[in-house]
Amino acid sequence: MAAVTRARSRWLHRVRLALVMVATLATVIFALRAYHSLLLLRSAYQVGAPDVSSIRPWMTLRYVAGTYGASEAAVIARLELAPETRPDTSLRALAEREGLSPFEYVRRVQRAVVDVAPAVTTNRDDTSPGWLGTIGGELLAALLVYRYPALGLTLLLGAVGLPLPTGLSAAVAGSLVAQARMSWLGASTVAVTASVLGDLAGYGLGRVLGGEFLERRGRWFGYTPAGRARVQRLLDRWGILTVLLSRTLVSHLSSVVNVLCGVSRCRLPQFLAFAVIGRLMWTSAYLGLGYAVGGDLDAAADSLENLTGLAVSLAVLAGLGLGTVRENVGA
């Protein structure tokens, strides 16, 4: 029996080590991708056309020209390439020919597209809602006008379980910080405090109302049977670390995690500690994204994905590290 236990322990150690290596690699990859995305976005701002921030090394000359309404010949000429250059050549391949890094060559292409593409907007119309028009105009207007109270209320209710665009609201707050219309300390303090208060409210609902009531009326708080089943599987696997993971990896389930932790009477100090850590990570990522892109949130989709991936991989690393420490202490 002892031999089986030792073998199982060695197997679990190897699995955990493999997961740490994978999570570390993912962290590095997402960090580099987020960094490069933000650099390209800043480069697009420097040439006065945020629209060209989406150009990437894997794209071909034909794809870039077609996307921005320019002629292939004009792009080739502006890049000072030979007239016989094939339009299906990727920017990465052209960078290798020139002895430049893919990033530097993309910056060159950005400048070329601005010069020859009539479809590129260099003076953006601030009255056009664009991507932001997909959320309720009233909510966005409230955030722009009332700032801290609107941000706090949105994140508080979102943490409780209402289907509000909490990530977008935090990113908008970050852009207001970049415009000196809000302070970083004030926005981050309000965001973390409101989110954690919403988490505690959800925890309290679960603890006071109990599982039977929530099974009947839990849809009011986003507490559905499917969501509960998913969260229960996470809790069975990760325990209290699910609170941390649900602020990053599965943030759409965070309100259900809060309620279920209350129902199962998880220890409040542990719940609060992991909730605060997770909200700090989440707030830093979204505020940082908004700050980096300034007023052009339309151009932030790629950066948002990479920052989210970075937060996820960091959360997994933290969870694995804490699990290892707890196991060693218990041993």
Side-chain angles (χ1 to χ4, degrees), residues 43-296:
S43 173
Y45 268 99
Q46 289 173 348
V47 298
D51 291 347
V52 300
S53 64
S54 60
I55 297 176
R56 292 292 182 271
W58 58 264
M59 296 180 178
T60 63
L61 291 171
R62 174 171 288 139
Y63 183 90
V64 171
T67 299
Y68 294 99
S71 72
E72 297 170 5
V75 174
I76 290 174
R78 177 61 180 78
L79 290 171
E80 300 180 353
L81 299 172
E84 62 272 14
T85 300
R86 296 181 57 188
D88 289 327
T89 306
S90 70
L91 304 187
R92 187 182 301 278
L94 293 172
E96 293 175 355
R97 293 182 190 177
E98 297 285 338
L100 298 174
S101 69
F103 170 73
E104 288 296 329
Y105 200 80
V106 167
R107 294 185 64 184
R108 178 184 293 185
V109 175
Q110 286 178 336
R111 293 189 291 269
V113 169
V114 169
D115 290 341
V116 303
V120 174
T121 303
T122 55
N123 295 311
R124 299 180 65 84
D125 181 3
D126 292 335
T127 63
S128 174
W131 178 58
L132 297 178
T134 59
I135 71 167
E138 295 81 3
L139 179 60
L140 180 58
L143 179 57
L144 295 176
V145 174
Y146 299 107
R147 300 174 194 172
Y148 300 106
L151 175 64
L153 182 62
T154 300
L155 298 186
L156 173 65
L157 296 178
V160 172
L162 296 183
L164 299 178
T166 52
L168 177 57
S169 297
V172 170
S175 72
L176 293 177
V177 172
Q179 299 168 34
R181 297 170 62 187
M182 294 177 72
S183 74
W184 180 275
L185 178 61
S188 58
T189 300
V190 168
V192 173
T193 302
S195 298
V196 172
L197 287 175
D199 293 337
L200 288 173
Y203 176 91
L205 285 172
R207 190 146 188 165
V208 171
L209 299 179
E212 184 176 345
F213 175 86
L214 291 168
E215 288 295 334
R216 300 196 309 268
R217 307 297 183 187
R219 292 182 183 274
W220 299 346
F221 316 106
Y223 187 82
T224 63
R228 172 174 181 167
R230 292 187 63 185
V231 170
Q232 190 61 59
R233 287 195 295 270
L234 288 171
L235 285 170
D236 291 342
R237 182 176 182 83
W238 297 100
I240 195 63
L241 290 176
T242 304
V243 177
L244 177 62
L245 298 178
S246 66
R247 309 307 105 154
T248 52
L249 180 60
V250 283
S251 57
H252 62 287
L253 293 176
S254 61
S255 60
V256 183
V257 171
N258 298 336
V259 174
L260 196 55
C261 283
V263 171
S264 58
R265 297 186 174 273
C266 294
R267 293 179 58 193
L268 181 57
Q270 284 187 325
F271 172 84
L272 182 59
F274 284 111
V276 170
I277 294 172
R279 291 304 183 185
L280 284 170
M281 294 172 60
W282 183 92
T283 299
S284 299
Y286 280 88
L287 281 182
L289 171 66
Y291 185 87
V293 302
D296 186 22

